[in-house]
Amino acid sequence: MADHILSPIAQVQNPAFGAALIWKFVRGYEQEKPGSMPVLQLLFLVLPIILHRLTMEKVKSTNQSSGLAKFVEKLGDERELLFSIHDRALGLRGLTLDSISTGIVTRLLSIDYDLGTVHGNEASFRNTPERLKNHLSSAEKLGRWSARLPSGHVFSLLKVEP
């Protein structure tokens, strides 16, 4: 029976939760920029930022209206936080891919393979645990910020090579 108990890391770093975070990111992007969808590459930024406590707290503490530049400015106070996003993006590629796949299978996400863009389908979550609400709202905020800039600028600001 004890073999089925998930570690705290496995509870958070799993494809189902990752799919929910990516879906919230995409929905935020689409709400901020109606008629537009994020490119697939942007999804690889979501988990490295939101699943890392310190960077997620910076997202949470930055006003939605302030934007990505203000978030990056806050990270600039602790440069290692900014530069570590790239390494985490590489390290979490597998989880991101699994999360995107889970999002597609569960119909949270649809991909336009010709354009390389992603759509967040209509859905809602019931009884979201309180401990996850900040993660989900931060992912949505990150999506809104990303919609305000060309994707190349998003990667450049975050010091991540696409």
Side-chain angles (χ1 to χ4, degrees), residues 96-107:
T96 297
L97 285 170
D98 289 346
S99 298
I100 293 167
S101 296
T102 300
I104 293 167
V105 168
T106 60
R107 297 192 175 110

Side-chain angles (χ1 to χ4, degrees), residues 14-30 38-40 42-48 50-51 92-104 108-111 118-121 125 135-136 138-140 142-143:
N14 70 69
F17 185 50
L21 293 173
I22 290 170
W23 175 77
K24 285 298 274 187
F25 172 89
V26 172
R27 294 295 291 177
Y29 187 103
E30 292 174 325
V39 295
L40 185 62
L42 283 175
L43 305 186
F44 288 86
L45 298 174
V46 179
L47 302 184
I50 303 302
L51 293 181
L92 290 171
R93 278 185 303 200
L95 179 59
T96 297
L97 285 170
D98 289 346
S99 298
I100 293 167
S101 296
T102 300
I104 293 167
L108 285 175
L109 302 171
S110 299
I111 294 185
V118 182
H119 171 66
N121 298 317
F125 294 113
H135 291 82
L136 293 166
S138 293
E140 181 180 347
L142 184 62

Side-chain angles (χ1 to χ4, degrees), residues 5-152:
I5 297 174
L6 295 175
S7 73
I9 291 175
Q11 289 176 26
V12 175
Q13 292 189 2
N14 70 69
F17 185 50
L21 293 173
I22 290 170
W23 175 77
K24 285 298 274 187
F25 172 89
V26 172
R27 294 295 291 177
Y29 187 103
E30 292 174 325
Q31 288 168 2
E32 187 68 27
K33 195 173 179 182
S36 186
M37 297 183 292
V39 295
L40 185 62
Q41 295 92 325
L42 283 175
L43 305 186
F44 288 86
L45 298 174
V46 179
L47 302 184
I49 292 172
I50 303 302
L51 293 181
H52 184 262
R53 184 182 55 83
L54 296 175
T55 54
M56 200 275 297
E57 285 175 0
K58 298 283 186 190
V59 172
K60 182 180 153 199
S61 70
T62 304
N63 292 326
Q64 182 174 301
S65 60
S66 298
L68 190 64
K70 184 64 174 177
F71 166 69
V72 170
E73 181 183 315
K74 286 182 174 186
L75 288 179
D77 295 339
E78 301 171 58
R79 301 286 296 163
E80 68 278 358
L81 283 180
L82 179 60
F83 289 108
S84 66
I85 293 171
H86 178 80
D87 291 337
R88 284 196 309 278
L90 292 174
L92 290 171
R93 278 185 303 200
L95 179 59
T96 297
L97 285 170
D98 289 346
S99 298
I100 293 167
S101 296
T102 300
I104 293 167
V105 168
T106 60
R107 297 192 175 110
L108 285 175
L109 302 171
S110 299
I111 294 185
D112 182 325
Y113 292 99
D114 293 331
L115 297 175
T117 56
V118 182
H119 171 66
N121 298 317
E122 293 289 327
S124 63
F125 294 113
R126 286 178 245 155
N127 305 323
T128 302
E130 196 63 38
R131 70 184 185 280
L132 303 180
K133 288 183 179 177
N134 287 329
H135 291 82
L136 293 166
S137 64
S138 293
E140 181 180 347
K141 188 186 297 184
L142 184 62
R144 286 181 172 273
W145 291 342
S146 297
R148 298 176 191 164
L149 301 166
S151 57

